[in-house]
């Protein structure tokens, strides 16, 4: 006597927790191409590109001294420190001692500039979104802790908003619209190490 065969159950499509209840695949990526979902995809792609430019511009200005926040004489290429000014003098609050102690240190400068460049490039290209979101959120939360309490509000400021948006971007597959996310996710290394998606 043969055992009865059971049909394989296909996993149900998940939906992302968004205002429009946007359908998503098993990895949380938006899957539809019309209506409100399309608007959401392009809005998320725009937010991703804008945040990427914020990080990349900060890197370029500090590296080359483009004159917006950093003069040419104080650029990293001319021997200036990208962290000494802010962490050494502007940092305040309960973590000021820590930030003053690492301000201008070589390792601090290298890690800060690498984070700005890596997060900026990854966001603009739409690749490595999980890693970029984690690193970018960590960096922005650390910048928030350097100026506690914020000037315009007892608790909230733009750094926390940036961190929240950065976390949402990979959850909703923002690298797949106007980005190289679909190509990136097919690379063998990325398929094996999904945290690189």
């Amino acid at each position: 006597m043969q055992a009865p065969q059971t049909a394989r159950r296909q996993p149900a499509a998940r939906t992302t927790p968004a205002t429009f209840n946007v359908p998503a695949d098993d990895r949380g990526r938006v899957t539809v191409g019309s209506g409100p979902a399309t608007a959401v995809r392009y809005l998320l792609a725009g937010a991703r590109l804008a945040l990427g430019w914020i990080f990349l511009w900060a890197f370029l200005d500090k590296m080359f001294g483009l004159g917006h926040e950093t003069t040419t004489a104080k650029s990293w290429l001319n021997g200036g420190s990208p962290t000494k000014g802010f962490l050494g003098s502007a940092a305040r609050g309960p973590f000021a001692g820590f930030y003053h102690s690492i301000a201008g240190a070589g390792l601090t400068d290298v890690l800060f500039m690498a984070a700005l460049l890596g997060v900026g490039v990854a966001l603009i290209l739409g690749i490595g979104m999980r890693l970029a979101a984690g690193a970018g959120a960590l960096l922005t939360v650390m910048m928030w802790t350097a100026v506690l309490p914020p000037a315009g509000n007892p608790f909230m400021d733009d750094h926390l908003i940036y961190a929240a948006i950065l976390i949402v971007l990979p959850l909703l597959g923002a690298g797949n619209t106007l980005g190289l996310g679909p190509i990136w996710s097919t690379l063998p290394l990325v398929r094996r190490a999904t945290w690189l998606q």
Side-chain angles (χ1 to χ4, degrees):
M1 182 142 194
Q2 293 182 346
Q5 293 183 349
T6 57
R8 287 189 178 192
R9 299 174 92 200
Q10 294 295 327
R14 293 187 316 165
T15 57
T16 58
T19 305
F20 296 109
N21 201 20
V22 180
D25 65 11
D26 62 341
R27 292 186 181 171
R29 296 178 297 203
V30 176
T31 58
V32 276
S34 64
T38 299
V40 170
R41 282 189 8 241
Y42 282 96
L43 180 63
L44 290 169
R48 185 196 86 230
L49 291 166
L51 281 172
W53 177 245
I54 288 171
F55 281 92
L56 187 58
W57 172 256
F59 169 82
L60 294 171
D61 190 44
K62 291 173 187 339
M63 174 64 84
F64 301 108
L66 300 177
H68 191 268
E69 295 292 327
T70 307
T71 63
T72 305
K74 293 184 179 182
S75 72
W76 203 26
L77 284 179
N78 285 329
S81 168
T83 63
K84 187 175 183 178
F86 177 71
L87 294 181
S89 59
R92 61 181 187 278
F95 303 104
F98 167 71
Y99 288 117
H100 290 167
S101 72
I102 64 170
L107 182 60
T108 304
D109 289 346
V110 168
L111 291 174
F112 179 67
M113 293 296 280
L116 290 176
L117 178 62
V119 171
V121 169
L123 289 174
I124 287 173
L125 295 178
I127 62 173
M129 292 294 295
R130 292 177 183 175
L131 189 58
L138 177 64
L139 182 61
T140 57
V141 168
M142 289 181 73
M143 293 171 77
W144 172 75
T145 63
V147 294
L148 284 176
N153 188 293
F155 175 77
M156 186 60 65
D157 82 346
D158 56 336
H159 294 97
L160 293 181
I161 303 299
Y162 289 163
I165 294 170
L166 283 164
I167 296 302
V168 167
L169 292 176
L171 293 175
L172 297 179
N176 296 332
T177 302
L178 301 177
L180 300 176
I183 297 168
W184 177 259
S185 65
T186 63
L187 298 176
L189 176 63
V190 177
R191 291 175 63 109
R192 283 192 307 272
T194 57
W195 58 272
L196 290 172
Q197 289 186 353

